[in-house]
Amino acid sequence: IRDALRLLLLSYGDIEVIGEARDGEEAIIRTASCQPEIIVMDINMPRMNGIQATTIIKKSRKQTAIIGLCVIQDTYTIEAFLKAGGLAVVSKQRLEDLRPTIQRACVNRSTAPSGKR
């Protein structure tokens, strides 16, 4: 899935993939070293899920926008992800929604007042 997601993101042409992680723990480590503007985070990962990882990442990287990916978009999962600091949740069955969600995240970052990104 990670390979397919990387290829999809690269196919957009205006997105640079600067890191990947196989689970939430690795996502935290990679975020610290890569310092991405936007993270596309699988919510259901082994060892540490995307909600837990998002909570930890947002404590040190408030300016990083995190978009969640999940198979089943139930209300509990979406609310938990957003409460953790996630920006939006995109269904893996509707990956065509990913690009506009990333674009909205970019617009939100560029229009945020200085120091609040």
Side-chain angles (χ1 to χ4, degrees):
I1 291 176
R2 227 174 43 229
D3 291 339
L5 181 59
R6 180 182 358 90
L7 292 174
L8 175 65
L9 293 170
L10 292 173
S11 76
Y12 296 153
D14 57 349
I15 293 176
E16 179 183 3
V17 177
I18 61 171
E20 298 177 30
R22 66 179 161 256
D23 58 46
E25 291 177 0
E26 188 175 343
I28 293 165
I29 294 166
R30 299 288 295 168
T31 297
S33 63
C34 296
Q35 301 183 353
E37 293 179 22
I38 298 171
I39 296 172
V40 177
M41 175 87 70
D42 193 338
I43 292 176
N44 299 306
M45 294 186 287
R47 295 194 322 170
M48 179 186 289
N49 68 41
I51 295 168
Q52 295 165 316
T54 295
T55 299
I56 293 168
I57 290 168
K58 290 302 280 189
K59 286 180 182 174
S60 61
R61 298 275 310 164
K62 291 181 184 359
Q63 71 278 22
T64 299
I66 304 177
I67 298 167
L69 290 179
C70 66
V71 175
I72 300 171
Q73 287 190 299
D74 64 275
T75 303
Y76 172 77
T77 300
I78 293 170
E79 287 177 2
F81 183 75
L82 297 176
K83 184 177 179 183
L87 176 70
V89 176
V90 174
S91 170
K92 288 181 181 177
Q93 285 86 16
R94 296 197 40 91
L95 285 179
E96 65 271 13
D97 294 340
L98 185 57
R99 184 180 177 101
T101 304
I102 292 171
Q103 289 171 328
R104 278 194 308 277
C106 291
V107 168
N108 289 346
R109 286 180 49 77
S110 67
T111 60
S114 182
K116 298 203 178 193
R117 291 187 197 167

